Every structure is written in structure tokens, then in C-alpha cells.
Amino acid sequence: MGGELASSSTSIPTTDPNGGLTEAEVNARHARFGPNELPQPQSPALWRLALAQVTHLFALLLWIAAASASIAGMTELALAIVAVILLNGIFAFLQEYRAERAAARLRSLLPLRVTVRRDGHEIVIDARELVPGDIVILKAGDRVPADVLLLEGIDVAVDVSTFTGESVPINPSPGDAIQAGTYLTRGRAIAVVTATGANTRLAQLARLTAAPRRQPTPLTRELQRLVRIITVLAVSVGLLFFAVAVFLRLPVLDAFVFMLGVTVALVPEGLLPTLTLSLAVAAQRMAERRALVRHLEAVETLGLTTVICTDKTGTLTLNELSVTSIWTPAGGARLFGQGYEPDGESDIEPGAEASVRELARAAALAADGRAVWRDGRWLPLGDPLDTALWVMVHRIGLDPDAIRAKAPVLRTYPFDPHRRRSSVLTESQLIVKGAPENVLPNCRNAEQARQVADRMAAEGLRVIAIASRPVLPGSASDVLDPDTLERELILLGLIGFSDLPRPEAKEAVARCRKAGIRVIMVTGDHPATALAVAREVGLVGDNPLVVTSAQLPPDDTALVAPVDRDEVVIARVAPEDKLRIARALQARGHVVAMTGDGVNDAPALRQADVGVAMGRSGTDVAREAADLILLDDNFATIVAAIKQGRTSFQNIRRFLTFHLTDNVAELAPFVIWALSGGRVPLALNVLQILLLDLGTDALPALALGVEPPSPRVLDSPPPRFHLVDRSLLVRAFLVLGPTEALMEMIRFFAVLSSAGWQPGMTVPSETILLAASGTAFTAIVLGQGANAIANRSDDRPAWRVGLSGNRALVLALAASCVLLLATLSIPPLARIVGQAPPTALGWFLAALTVPAVMLIDALWKTIVRRQPSG
């Protein structure tokens, strides 16, 4: 990191750290480099974004439907269809507009004011005025205003989680680079600015985040495919019927209206609102499971997910350091507990209790941290590692606050990144805490400890050593050099920390494996630590592949080999690597879900088919770039969301079958009319068709869209077939649709024949024609009720499925019946629609449509079950 940023400052003259830049130098560099602010992302014009939502192919089909209704004099329904178009357009526009704001959030990571040295004086300036070469002065709590190089530092700790997602601060040394957007958690620093504004690492990520949005979601592609099918079918059939009408010498205007009526019959006007409402209900269910959906399309995409690229910290683990292992020369101990919760248990080996307690007392004095109860959970106050030591002391059965009160710390020698250790001095004791390789060489009793430290590190633990030596009261109070004091130490022991896996993570990973979803760990952490957690949660078995960012092939094509396989752990990843991994997997046909929480994750979250951000620990930038936000940062929540996503995929297929079946029944009267050369009257008019699409069909379709999940929904691999495939089209257009159409036309002819009508004759009276049309309409509505029940299952007959488990469908079918009766029996409504109540014979025959549809559907399911699988 240091080398990369240092290279950007090679053309900048060295600045005197004591005097800083002169005013002339500042002006010259400001003119050369510009203000210190991130470039404003160029967003598409709002009017273009809005226009696109109401001019896509499906919207154009709905506009045609509205136009046909208007030409036919049906102004109210024309306005209703326009309202559907506009409401869906507004919703889609708001979703797209929110997505475009992701890169803009990066601008809030730069501070407003900063302290600099200029012309020999310390002054506070607007952060926008910083230029390369400026000397900045930072203290604990300050956000780093630009890419800088550390010149001097006193006990400096920098929180880099904005970039890496890791919660443990780093300790930079003079000469190390620190990136804009991070902030100091401890100490005081003097640094020189190496890059500002568009040249910072933060700006590079902003450019990646503002890159063009990923390819359309699977749902979008499937809908586009469906719309193309419907468009070709509707336009072709409409033109054909226009030609037939002209051939039969109908007036051109009548032929045109007739053509539009056929087109309306083939356009499922209720599909788009049904789809939107179905996804919205699924999103609400996900929210109840602590998963917040930002883009509705992500609901269905989750159901198709084949690979999850998951971070380690906070997703598979608790993101809370815990002491799990203690070693002392006299024996060791294991500790158990949840995160920073002080209550817990310790299992101390026989004979080691005294040495473990001595180690704990020393740790209590050497650590400056504690846990506090806030927002319903225990949170660290101070350095997370020191907080974990405070918790450890509690779990061993001691009171760290009482220990500190009994032996006050007189002097602190802060952590130094070169020495990699710190120490505290009490009246009678010097206590040293640090990395084993930097503490053990100064200890007299460390022979065995080196091997133990290596073994603990290989297990994925973060290890520190604690040592001490006695001092005479007052003898060391004036010694300023810690290296002089930290000699001839006695090793008290080694302490191993781990970020414990979430209790439910192992089961969630196992469910993913059973569901045919590959889980890949992609983390910025150390390979050994990542592998240890991967083993604990069952992500890898006996043949893991562990690679680091440096070991990944530079060629994107070759990158597929190490990532598209089972039991993969990728450690020390850079932001560009996560982006490349997502693209490589997508190129192999995978539907990729990518988790992340830092600014560095935002580009990959946008690239993935489903970007999953952390709601508790994640940055605003990551959340804005994501499609799904985990409010509890829990991997198991992703699995629950995938379960709902798969359910939504199945539900969309259910109501698509339901909608398309109706289209066949609506088209049948026009086909019969054309084939008869106009000698058979139309069984349905355009208004009745629109009433079916936007009225009686709407609620049952929505109820199918909220069908609850099946217990077996995660017992098989994700669906790899099209949302609209041959099986769905055959069932809708060649099985259920023709059955409804046949029942509809038989009922229509039966009522006409009962009044003495024969083909080619004039209908005896308008009353009989309206009653026959009402009978055909009733047959379709009742047949669609049976169709809705049948579509609840792909393999069981409707009478075995019933209505139990979906209360919404019961209410929807009841509402459809009420609407049917209202439009038949209330004279003003009946006149507007153009129908009348069926005769007694008509009611009887229409009712028989229900068992007919159910029987044909059951026969079809039996045939499909008996066919050998592909």
C-alpha cells in the first residue's frame, strides 16, 4: 500500500515538516491539482431515466392496450391501464435513482476541516484546500483528509475498516502510507499529503463504484424474453385478424378496433403490477428475517444464486475478538463465551490456576479497554484487543477494575509498530505486551513458548505474549527508553484470540451445500486465520484450496480455475480482485451473490448479481451499492433470503402460468369468429377481456405470488431453466388454456342454441347474446379459480392441494366471485361491461368448468411425472 501511494508523490518536492508549504507553493499546486474533493459522478439525466421506465417494450404493449380501450370508448379502463404504467414507472425510477447515488456517498468520507502547517504556523483550513505536499496534523478521532505519508507518530492506530472491512486497527510506522477516508483511533500523527482529490485511492474506488451498472438481472432478462414472445404473438395475430376483418369487408376502422381487441386479449395487462406486488411482499418477508431488499429484482435473483462469495469477519464470524486459548509454562486454559459478553466460562488445566491468574492480573494492567452495554449488546470501548483482555479477566473470575485500582499504572510506553510491543509500569512491576516474536527474545524462559506460539498461529489465532519483571519502587520512574527496561523478562504466558464463528454459520453453510450453492470465502484476512474459520464452519473439508491475492492469475480467463471449484478460500484480497472474481464467475454462467461491508467492497457489490452489504458494521457506501442489506450481518440470513428468493421464482412461474392460460381463453372467441367468416358472434368484447386481466384475475394472481415457501425448497440445486420455458408455455397454451377456451365456447354456444340459434343465423335477441356472453365470462372466471388452485403445486392435483396454507388465495377467489356477481347482476355495471347473468343452464354449465380444469391439470401432471427426466 505504501509503495503504491508513494509513487503518486514522486513528482512532489519534499516539504519542510516544521515550516510546511508557503502561500505561493499552495497556490501553484492548487492550480495544478485542483481542489481536494472526489470527482462528481456523472449520472444520467433524470428525464432520460424517467422516460426509460415508461417506454420499454412491456410498457409499450400496455400503451397499446390503453389506446385500444380509448378507441373503443372505454375511457375509464384506458385511464386505469395508464395508471398501472405510470405507477410501475415511478417505482422503477425511484429504485434506479437510489442506485445511482452509491458513488456520491464516498464524498462524505472526507472531513470538512483539517489542521496543517503553512508558512511555519499551524492553521485550520477547509479540507478542499489541501494540496500535495501539505503537512497535516492529525489526532485521535480525526478522519484522514487525503492520501498521506506518515512522518512522525506517537502511539498511532488507524481504523482502516472503511477499506478492508477488518475491525482491528493498524499501527503505521513513519514512511507508511495512510489512505484518505480512514481515521485515527489513537495517538497523534504528522504526515505529508501525497495525493488529493481525484488522485487518491478513495477516488479510484469511487470511479469503480460509479462504473456502469451490471448486466440486467435474470428476472429482467426473462421478462424481456417473455415480452418479446408476447409482442411477436400479439402483433402477428392482431395483423392477421385485421386482414381477415378487411377480407370480410368490415369497415377499416372497425377492423382496426377489432385488431386492437385481439392484441389486448394477448397482452397480460395485470402481469407487471402482479409481479411488482409479489416481489414487494417477498421483500417484506425478508425484512422480517432481518434482510432489507433495496432492489426488488434481487428477490428473484437470490433464488437463482449458484455461488456466494462471502467475507469472513462479521458474516461467518461475530466480528468480536475473544480470548479462546491461554498458555503458561505451568499449563493452559480454554475460555468460552459470546463475543464481548463478560460472563463466560474457563476450563483451566490442573496445576495451572495460579499461573493463569497471574497472567490475567498482568493483562488487566496492560490493557486499556473495556466492554459497555449499549443498544442491546456488549460493545468494545477502546482497542478491540484490549477489550477482549478485559473480558478474559472477567471469565477467569477476576475483576479487572479492582486489579487496576490496587496497582495503578504510573507510566505507559505505547505500542510502537517497529518494536511491536507496549509496556506499562506500576510501582513494583513492568508488564510487557506484544507480538511473540518481539517479546520472547527478551525473556529468560521462552524456549517452549516459540513452538506453542507457532502452533497457535497455525490454528488461525492471533497471538500475543505477556511478560514482566519486578522493579524497585521509584527505580524506573525516570527511565525514558522502554528498550532499556524491557530486558531480562519473565514470560507469563501466551494468549490466543479468535473471531468466533457465528453459532448458526455451520448449519447455514451445510444448507447451502445441500441446496447446490457453492460458498467461497473472499477475505482480506490472513490465510491461516481464514482457513481456520472455514474449517470450523464446514466451508472446506480435506482438500481446501487457499490462495492469496498475489497468487491469483492476472488473466481473467485463467482466474476461473482457482475460484470456480469447491472448498476455496481466497485471502488478502484487494478491491479489484473481488471485482474480477465476480466477473469471472459470471462469465462461467454463475449467478453470484457477493457480501461486503467496506468502501473497498462497493465495486464488487455493484458488479455481482446480488450485492449483499452489512447493515450493522457496513459503510454507507457499501449499503448504497448493494441490493440486499443484512441488518444482523449474519450469513444465515442470506440463506433465509435465498429460500424466499427461490419461493418467489416458483411463485412467479405460478402466476405467469395463471395469466397466460387466461390469454388463450380470451383469444378463442376471436379465432372462432375469424374461422367462421363472421357467422359466429363474438363471445367476449374488449371490455370483458380487460376486466378479466385487471379485475377478476388480479387478486388470485397476487395470491399465487405470495404462496408461502415449501419446506423442501432448499433441498435441490437452484433452477437453471428459464423463468418462461417450454414446460410452462405448453401447460398454459396447450393444456390449461385450451381447456378453458373449450369450456367457454361450449357454454356460449349452448346458451345460444337453447334459444334456437344456429351458425349463420342472426341471434334471436340482444338479451340472449348478453346472457351467452355472461356465461362465457363466468366460465373463464370459475375456470381461472380452479387454475389458481391447480397452480399451487407442480405435481399434485388441485383437490389434494386445496386452499389450506394460503389465506390470501381464499380471500382473492372470494373477491373474484363478488366482482363476477356484481358485473353480472348490477344492471348499470352489466350494461357497461356488455353482458347479462347466465340462464339457469348457463350457470350449471359454467360451474362444470371447475372440475374440467382440475381433471385436465391432474392428467397433465401424471403424464409429466411418468416422463423420464432429461
Side-chain angles (χ1 to χ4, degrees), residues 77-350:
L77 281 177
L79 292 175
I81 297 174
V82 171
V84 168
I85 300 170
L86 295 179
L87 286 174
N88 279 283
I90 291 171
F91 184 85
F93 168 77
L94 293 176
Q95 294 293 319
E96 289 293 326
Y97 178 69
R98 290 178 64 189
E100 293 299 328
R101 297 171 55 209
R105 282 299 187 108
L106 287 159
R107 302 170 66 86
S108 66
L109 294 179
L110 296 181
L112 298 178
R113 309 285 285 174
V114 62
T115 301
V116 298
R117 283 181 183 161
R118 288 182 178 175
D119 290 321
H121 301 286
E122 290 188 9
I123 59 174
V124 178
I125 65 169
D126 192 315
R128 292 181 71 256
E129 299 175 10
L130 273 180
V131 295
D134 256 326
I135 303 299
V136 297
I137 299 169
L138 304 169
K139 62 182 184 301
D142 286 348
R143 193 171 288 277
V144 180
D147 287 352
V148 301
L149 210 63
L150 184 63
L151 300 177
E152 301 175 25
I154 302 174
D155 194 21
V156 176
V158 181
D159 186 326
V160 295
S161 61
T162 296
F163 285 87
T164 67
E166 299 300 323
S167 59
V168 179
I170 64 168
N171 303 101
S173 304
D176 286 347
I178 307 175
Q179 294 173 340
T182 60
Y183 70 93
L184 267 66
T185 61
R186 190 176 65 235
R188 175 181 169 87
I190 299 175
V192 60
V193 175
T194 60
T196 58
N199 297 317
T200 62
R201 178 65 169 155
L202 190 63
Q204 294 175 25
L205 289 171
R207 283 191 287 272
L208 287 175
T209 304
R213 186 68 178 172
R214 56 180 173 265
Q215 294 299 313
T217 66
L219 177 61
T220 302
R221 293 195 297 269
E222 287 297 308
L223 286 177
Q224 290 172 347
R225 179 171 173 269
L226 174 62
V227 168
R228 286 195 298 269
I229 293 172
I230 293 175
T231 301
V232 171
L233 184 63
V235 173
S236 300
V237 175
L239 291 174
L240 175 63
F241 276 79
F242 177 76
V244 170
V246 172
F247 178 76
L248 294 175
R249 298 183 179 179
L250 283 180
V252 174
L253 181 59
D254 291 345
F256 179 70
V257 173
F258 182 70
M259 179 191 73
L260 290 180
V262 172
T263 304
V264 169
L266 289 171
V267 176
E269 290 86 1
L271 175 60
L272 204 56
T274 301
L275 175 65
T276 301
L277 289 172
S278 175
L279 294 178
V281 171
Q284 178 60 37
R285 288 177 176 172
M286 288 185 183
E288 293 171 357
R289 296 295 303 271
R290 311 292 292 166
L292 181 64
V293 176
R294 293 191 64 251
H295 303 113
L296 286 184
E297 297 93 337
V299 173
E300 187 266 349
T301 308
L302 271 167
L304 304 178
T305 298
T306 59
V307 176
I308 301 175
C309 296
T310 179
D311 199 356
K312 173 187 71 69
T313 305
T315 310
L316 293 171
T317 67
L318 294 168
N319 195 19
E320 298 177 351
L321 281 179
S322 294
V323 175
T324 57
S325 181
I326 294 175
W327 177 88
T328 71
R334 302 286 295 180
L335 274 70
F336 309 93
Q338 285 287 327
Y340 298 122
E341 165 67 55
D343 294 336
E345 299 179 359
S346 59
D347 182 12
I348 303 175
E349 295 178 3

Side-chain angles (χ1 to χ4, degrees), residues 364-393:
L365 296 172
D368 184 20
R370 62 186 300 113
V372 295
W373 179 259
R374 185 180 302 154
D375 298 330
R377 61 189 182 123
W378 288 94
L379 298 174
L381 185 62
D383 188 276
L385 187 141
D386 283 355
T387 301
L389 290 175
W390 181 86
V391 173
M392 176 199 78
V393 177

